Amino acid sequence: MRRVLTCALLAAVLSACSVVAPEYRPTPTPAPSATAAAKPDILPLTYSVTPLDVRPNAVAKTGIFFTNPNTFVLDWFMTVRFKSADGLNVTDERIGNAGVPPDRVDTKFQNWYFPIPPGDSWTVVRYGTAFSKSDVQEFKVARSLVTIGEVDGVRVASQSCAGDPAVGTIGCDFAVETSTTVPAFSKLHLVVVVRTKSSERPVLSLLQWRPELAGTGKPWLNLAAAESFKIHMNDSYPTPSVPWEYEVFVHAYQYSSQ
């Protein structure tokens, strides 16, 4: 009888001291108040799509305007559905800054999609046909990798855009400077938005400075403090026949390597 009581007592003690391994513990359900107070990791951003297809020009441009309320750079991608003129052939193309091919021979490198900085920004897509927002099948963003960040202090010190009678298009001249030395492996992204001066202010054209236009294998933005970088660029569309004005968006990004 004493042996039975001793075994029962030992079993009770061992049971009281047993532990459940952390990996098998049930996940506690957060209190409703804590769930309601939690803030999203990424604030929702808005975007608009502006198709431009000025004939007889063969280059179709599509402008994508982003408004990012977050304080950090975002990676993004969207899947766009392109249709042939007769509507029979349909292809889905994924565009965005994630996974841009490093091969500069790739014909799609001309688009070089940059990440989305905080605030307002544009990017320009060049394809055989323009697309509208209804052609966008999906759009997703995520926090950019720690290896990509916006460079502060880069600005346009002087700017001028006017009709260039020699080529019949708009020509622009810019001087880009920085208040501090630009870190290594930085790239410049500059977009010019041309609008009418009417109250509706529709977009007439979009010009974009792309890194490969620098004509070097590694077109990094190398500027010391107070230095200036000169840019001349011409539109591929004819000079508008109506009164127009322009706005410039400039951003610089640092990459850890390329």
Side-chain angles (χ1 to χ4, degrees), residues 13-252:
V13 171
L14 291 173
S15 175
C17 296
S18 63
V19 227
V20 178
E23 58 268 28
Y24 296 111
R25 288 176 179 170
T27 303
T29 304
S33 58
T35 304
K39 295 183 179 180
D41 183 50
I42 298 177
L43 297 174
L45 68 159
T46 59
Y47 73 98
S48 60
V49 179
T50 302
L52 296 172
D53 197 355
V54 178
R55 297 299 176 182
N57 190 287
V59 178
K61 302 178 186 179
T62 301
I64 306 176
F65 174 75
F66 299 104
T67 298
N68 179 9
N70 299 279
T71 58
F72 44 83
V73 174
L74 291 173
D75 281 328
W76 67 281
F77 80 83
M78 61 175 56
T79 303
V80 182
R81 179 155 295 172
F82 290 94
K83 300 177 182 177
S84 60
D86 55 14
L88 298 177
N89 296 323
V90 178
T91 58
D92 287 345
E93 294 279 355
R94 178 171 169 172
I95 64 175
N97 75 296
V100 173
D103 183 5
R104 310 188 80 80
V105 180
D106 192 310
T107 55
K108 290 185 181 178
F109 194 82
Q110 64 176 326
N111 288 307
W112 188 258
Y113 310 108
F114 285 83
I116 305 173
D120 295 339
S121 65
W122 284 83
T123 194
V124 182
V125 180
R126 296 159 61 94
Y127 270 101
T129 57
F131 64 90
S132 61
K133 194 169 185 178
S134 61
D135 297 315
V136 178
Q137 306 301 300
E138 62 177 338
F139 172 64
K140 293 183 178 181
V141 297
R143 276 182 176 267
S144 184
L145 301 175
V146 294
T147 54
I148 303 177
E150 189 170 12
V151 179
D152 296 325
V154 177
R155 70 182 189 94
V156 175
S158 64
Q159 59 187 39
S160 174
C161 289
D164 187 342
V167 291
T169 65
I170 294 175
C172 295
D173 290 284
F174 301 100
V176 178
E177 67 177 21
T178 174
S179 56
T180 59
T181 299
V182 173
F185 303 112
S186 295
K187 281 185 166 68
L188 178 70
H189 185 215
L190 186 149
V191 174
V192 182
V193 182
V194 179
R195 300 179 182 270
T196 69
K197 288 187 176 181
S198 65
S199 57
E200 295 82 8
R201 302 186 70 242
V203 177
L204 298 174
S205 188
L206 294 154
L207 292 78
Q208 179 173 235
W209 169 257
R210 304 188 306 277
E212 71 273 23
L213 294 179
T216 62
K218 296 285 186 181
W220 307 112
L221 178 63
N222 298 315
L223 281 180
E227 284 186 346
S228 181
F229 172 54
K230 305 293 184 182
I231 294 177
H232 175 80
M233 55 196 299
N234 278 87
D235 196 1
S236 57
Y237 288 179
T239 303
S241 57
V242 296
W244 54 274
E245 57 190 5
Y246 68 95
E247 184 178 8
V248 181
F249 292 81
V250 61
H251 299 279

